[in-house]
Amino acid sequence: MNKGRVTVVDIARAAGVSKSTVSLVLQASPLVNEATRAKVNAVIRELGYVYNRGAANLRQSASSRIIGIIVNDLTNSFFAELAVGMDMVMQSAGYVQFLSNSAESVDRQREVIASMREHGISGLILSPARGTEAADLKPLAASGIPVVAVVRNVVGAKVSSLSSDNHAGAKDAVRHLVSLGHRRIAFLGGIANTTVFGERVAGWRDALAEAGLEAPDALVIGTTASRAGGVAAIERALLVPDRPTAALCFNDAAAFGVCDGLRAAGMEPGRDFGVVGFDDVIEAETAVPALTTVSVDPQGMGRRAAQLLLKQINAGRVEPEAIVGSVRLVVRQSCGAGLKTGRKPA
Amino acid sequence: MNKGRVTVVDIARAAGVSKSTVSLVLQASPLVNEATRAKVNAVIRELGYVYNRGAANLRQSASSRIIGIIVNDLTNSFFAELAVGMDMVMQSAGYVQFLSNSAESVDRQREVIASMREHGISGLILSPARGTEAADLKPLAASGIPVVAVVRNVVGAKVSSLSSDNHAGAKDAVRHLVSLGHRRIAFLGGIANTTVFGERVAGWRDALAEAGLEAPDALVIGTTASRAGGVAAIERALLVPDRPTAALCFNDAAAFGVCDGLRAAGMEPGRDFGVVGFDDVIEAETAVPALTTVSVDPQGMGRRAAQLLLKQINAGRVEPEAIVGSVRLVVRQSCGAGLKTGRKPA
DNA sequence: GTAATTAATTGGATCGTTCCAAATTTGTCA
DNA sequence: TGACAAATTTGGAACGATCCAATTAATTAC
């Protein structure tokens, strides 16, 4: 059974030329005569020919035009947007992408990477699962497949990375809360022993030190980087003696949770307690109160990661570079600053 | 340049067997002697061999083990979760997936489908962009590639579909609001002339008719299926003379927007206005007030879609079937029903 | 009108794997 | 030990596109 598959040879036969000519037409080569090209293209359309990229990729020189993307938590809208940003760039560069969700499991991530290698990806963008080691990426580097780590980076791995300036962002956010008069500022949510958590807490600590305020460990409450984690964190924070009056949250998801938790305790975020998030997810703008947050522009970050990867793919030689994206504080209502002006009715 | 690629022939030479034997080992065939298998596997590990799936797929009998997934809006967490559900099933069935975001553009969707065909996908799960026509899926059907449409379906296309019982879900939700004493119930958010919108509005209308209540067009306010759309919808709804006291929202995103808009207007969702969503996104449970919503279990739906597609791929012969998933109302706080019990502190 | 030049076209050979039929080795039994 | 069956192994021909060197056709030059 031929499976009904139409091949270059079928086209060649029908158009009365050789398969080589058909191949040239497919590659839009200038070598082929216009009349011939037209005829071949007509036959291609007529027979419903589908280019077989797998066969073409067999020649060792070819590039698969497939790139792999692995994120650690697709249900988090930060990553969903990151993926969308990458998709945009890759799409217009003529690449397709294998997108997978490691769900924070290194085993799963390993499997996915192996599978992607078998499919011959030309590059990989990875938001590493917690616990990823340099060894996990070794084989990729060995076969010359460029890798870009986003959001988190992998210590010891010689791959490019694109992260955001967590330290500066956290510092700015806390400075802002201090300028609003807060003296007891907590750090809520997130998983304690991760690099990103560490960087953000350091920023928090430094800003407090700068203002001559103390930064007690009791005010650092790590839980999960999710809405539920935020709820749990604020519940505990409100039990601390000499309770905080404001908080920098690990990320926006946690910040929303903190708002939920405050309301459940009869407090209104922004008015009774200052809340600042991190990430600037789309919902941050439309939420009520609108979330003051450190903007890392996930889509933009996705686009930049994709561009970086493409650059490396085209460059051939892989020269790892570490980019730390700058970050800016977006002041909205949840910190209490924007409340005077209020929300203008549409 | 050999590109450093290790092939079966290299393994064969190093292990002192023929490439056919290596191939048998790769396929875990029982034909090969244990001692030989062990030696070959050792060499495979030693030389760092990577299976070339592209080459294997060349044989016409082979299946690519790649499936395509196209969703119309990945930034909507409903679709992100849908994708995660599919990922789980596909992953464990040994498939990888091309995941793309059509961003509601049919042109983009067409390109993506073409690209996926060239890569030889064994099946496609599609949440069609608005305006998708049967003709867009024709070539896939023609080459015997099974397609499962999810969420929305494509009229006239002979593909399997998996949608949820929008009519029944909406009806249940409105009945519940009626049972809580509401008499003026709006339908808020969503894009007006889409199938899903139509089905949900019909359920809303039928439930009202059943209760002997009127269903004026002024109370159907279509905007966008997003948080911002919900805010806009409730703003308009509150201006309607004889304003509604509760609303069924097109989806959870819109419902969250409605809650935001209510608060901005000084009203508390659940207490001053009943809000019911649709989809049961994860955040629905942890939000404050927890969202009463019609559960369609996006992850579960993703899993079922993936299973349906796998069934069709394995069956060979493609027999389209339309599955309408049942749906159930999850009563939480936002409708006002759960307020008496309140939220128990953790 | 023929040689030189340029423009188009074309057979293999090749990429890395699978599959088939055929060959080889090993084992069994009278 | 020889005949026969079972267990292993193995070349070579696919699969569908690309690329190279070589051939043929069309132009131009003299």
Side-chain angles (χ1 to χ4, degrees):
Chain A
M1 210 253 285
N2 188 23
K3 218 178 170 184
R5 210 154 34 175
V6 181
T7 77
V8 273
V9 182
D10 299 320
I11 303 295
R13 215 186 335 259
V17 296
S18 79
K19 62 184 166 44
S20 302
T21 304
V22 176
S23 175
L24 291 173
V25 171
L26 288 174
Q27 298 167 82
S29 161
L31 289 179
V32 47
N33 183 290
E34 272 316 316
T36 316
R37 182 194 309 281
K39 189 200 294 173
V40 171
N41 277 326
V43 176
I44 284 178
R45 257 189 305 279
E46 189 188 340
L47 299 191
Y49 168 75
V50 178
Y51 184 80
N52 184 333
R53 222 163 263 280
N57 290 163
L58 214 47
R59 314 298 329 275
Q60 54 206 127
S61 55
S63 130
S64 69
R65 311 232 101 192
I66 299 178
I67 64 116
I69 298 178
I70 308 179
V71 298
N72 55 287
D73 181 9
L74 194 56
T75 60
N76 181 328
S77 61
F78 176 83
F79 291 105
E81 285 190 62
L82 196 72
V84 169
M86 294 172 189
D87 191 282
M88 289 166 72
V89 174
M90 289 303 174
Q91 190 70 31
S92 54
Y95 279 74
V96 289
Q97 46 207 280
F98 279 135
L99 190 148
S100 252
N101 184 219
S102 66
E104 214 67 271
S105 147
V106 274
D107 289 335
R108 176 80 174 275
Q109 181 176 281
R110 215 187 327 267
E111 284 172 24
V112 173
I113 291 178
S115 169
M116 286 179 170
R117 284 231 295 159
E118 295 185 353
H119 283 282
I121 52 170
S122 343
L124 173 69
I125 299 180
L126 173 72
S127 164
R130 222 172 309 121
T132 302
E133 291 164 15
D136 294 323
L137 306 182
K138 202 64 168 295
L140 286 167
S143 29
I145 298 173
V147 176
V148 171
V150 286
V151 185
R152 309 170 174 174
N153 55 12
V154 182
V155 288
K158 308 186 76 146
V159 299
S160 294
S161 67
L162 186 59
S163 49
S164 35
D165 196 340
N166 292 308
H167 186 273
K171 202 164 167 183
D172 283 356
V174 173
R175 272 183 183 149
H176 179 69
L177 287 172
V178 169
S179 79
L180 293 176
H182 292 284
R183 292 292 167 263
R184 292 281 291 175
I185 301 171
F187 185 95
L188 305 179
I191 296 165
N193 47 2
T194 61
T195 318
V196 178
F197 185 92
E199 291 170 358
R200 294 185 185 172
V201 167
W204 166 84
R205 203 178 297 278
D206 289 356
L208 289 177
E210 189 184 76
L213 299 171
E214 55 176 336
D217 286 346
L219 290 188
V220 178
I221 303 179
T223 50
T224 337
S226 64
R227 197 150 182 150
V231 174
I234 187 67
E235 278 172 355
R236 280 169 50 196
L238 294 179
L239 298 178
V240 172
D242 194 3
R243 56 153 78 164
T245 60
L248 166 61
C249 303
F250 176 75
N251 64 3
D252 286 352
F256 289 130
V258 166
C259 291
D260 290 346
L262 285 169
R263 289 216 179 89
M267 297 170 76
E268 182 59 24
R271 191 189 61 199
D272 308 322
F273 194 98
V275 178
V276 179
F278 212 112
D279 283 354
D280 199 17
V281 165
I282 340 179
E283 298 98 21
E285 193 175 352
T286 49
V288 174
L291 193 66
T292 292
T293 186
V294 178
S295 172
V296 309
D297 181 18
Q299 281 204 20
M301 194 165 168
R303 281 196 299 272
R304 288 176 60 195
Q307 282 153 357
L308 178 57
L309 186 68
L310 289 179
K311 197 180 90 185
Q312 304 221 347
I313 290 174
N314 296 329
R317 190 63 217 112
V318 180
E319 200 54 67
E321 54 184 304
I323 298 182
V324 175
S326 65
V327 120
R328 72 174 211 288
L329 183 71
V330 179
V331 178
R332 300 205 181 91
Q333 276 99 44
S334 68
C335 56
L339 283 189
K340 280 183 293 289
T341 54
R343 194 170 175 289
K344 48 179 180 303
Chain B
M1 214 252 287
N2 188 24
K3 218 177 169 183
R5 216 160 22 180
V6 180
T7 77
V8 273
V9 183
D10 298 320
I11 303 295
R13 210 180 345 251
V17 296
S18 78
K19 61 181 166 49
S20 302
T21 304
V22 177
S23 175
L24 291 174
V25 171
L26 288 174
Q27 299 166 83
S29 161
L31 289 179
V32 47
N33 183 290
E34 273 315 315
T36 316
R37 181 193 311 281
K39 188 199 299 175
V40 170
N41 277 325
V43 175
I44 285 179
R45 255 190 306 280
E46 189 188 339
L47 299 190
Y49 168 74
V50 178
Y51 184 79
N52 185 333
R53 225 164 261 281
N57 291 162
L58 214 46
R59 315 295 329 273
Q60 55 206 125
S61 55
S63 129
S64 70
R65 313 233 99 191
I66 299 179
I67 65 116
I69 299 179
I70 308 180
V71 299
N72 55 289
D73 180 13
L74 193 57
T75 60
N76 182 329
S77 61
F78 176 83
F79 291 106
E81 285 190 61
L82 196 72
V84 169
M86 294 172 187
D87 191 282
M88 289 167 71
V89 174
M90 289 303 175
Q91 188 72 30
S92 54
Y95 279 74
V96 289
Q97 43 205 283
F98 278 135
L99 191 148
S100 252
N101 183 220
S102 66
E104 215 67 271
S105 147
V106 273
D107 288 335
R108 176 80 174 274
Q109 181 176 279
R110 215 187 327 268
E111 285 171 24
V112 174
I113 291 179
S115 169
M116 286 178 169
R117 286 232 294 157
E118 295 186 353
H119 282 282
I121 53 170
S122 332
L124 174 68
I125 299 181
L126 175 71
S127 165
R130 221 172 307 120
T132 302
E133 291 163 16
D136 294 324
L137 306 181
K138 203 63 169 295
L140 286 167
S143 30
I145 297 173
V147 177
V148 171
V150 286
V151 184
R152 310 169 173 173
N153 54 12
V154 182
V155 287
K158 309 187 76 150
V159 300
S160 295
S161 67
L162 186 59
S163 48
S164 35
D165 196 340
N166 292 308
H167 185 273
K171 203 165 167 181
D172 283 355
V174 173
R175 273 181 183 150
H176 178 69
L177 287 172
V178 169
S179 80
L180 292 177
H182 292 284
R183 292 292 167 264
R184 293 281 289 177
I185 300 171
F187 186 95
L188 304 179
I191 296 166
N193 47 3
T194 60
T195 319
V196 177
F197 185 93
E199 291 170 357
R200 294 184 185 172
V201 167
W204 166 83
R205 204 178 297 279
D206 289 357
L208 290 177
E210 188 184 78
L213 299 171
E214 55 176 338
D217 286 345
L219 289 188
V220 177
I221 303 179
T223 50
T224 335
S226 64
R227 197 150 182 152
V231 174
I234 186 67
E235 279 172 355
R236 280 168 50 196
L238 295 179
L239 299 177
V240 173
D242 195 5
R243 56 152 79 162
T245 61
L248 167 61
C249 304
F250 176 75
N251 64 4
D252 286 351
F256 288 131
V258 167
C259 291
D260 291 344
L262 285 169
R263 289 215 179 91
M267 298 171 74
E268 182 59 24
R271 191 190 60 198
D272 308 321
F273 194 98
V275 177
V276 179
F278 211 113
D279 284 353
D280 200 17
V281 165
I282 337 182
E283 297 99 24
E285 193 175 352
T286 49
V288 173
L291 193 66
T292 292
T293 186
V294 179
S295 172
V296 309
D297 182 17
Q299 282 202 21
M301 193 165 170
R303 281 195 298 271
R304 289 176 59 195
Q307 281 153 357
L308 178 57
L309 185 68
L310 289 179
K311 198 180 89 184
Q312 303 220 349
I313 290 174
N314 297 329
R317 188 65 218 109
V318 180
E319 201 54 68
E321 54 184 302
I323 298 182
V324 176
S326 66
V327 120
R328 72 175 210 288
L329 183 72
V330 179
V331 178
R332 299 204 180 92
Q333 277 100 44
S334 68
C335 57
L339 284 190
K340 280 184 291 290
T341 53
R343 191 168 178 290
K344 47 177 182 310

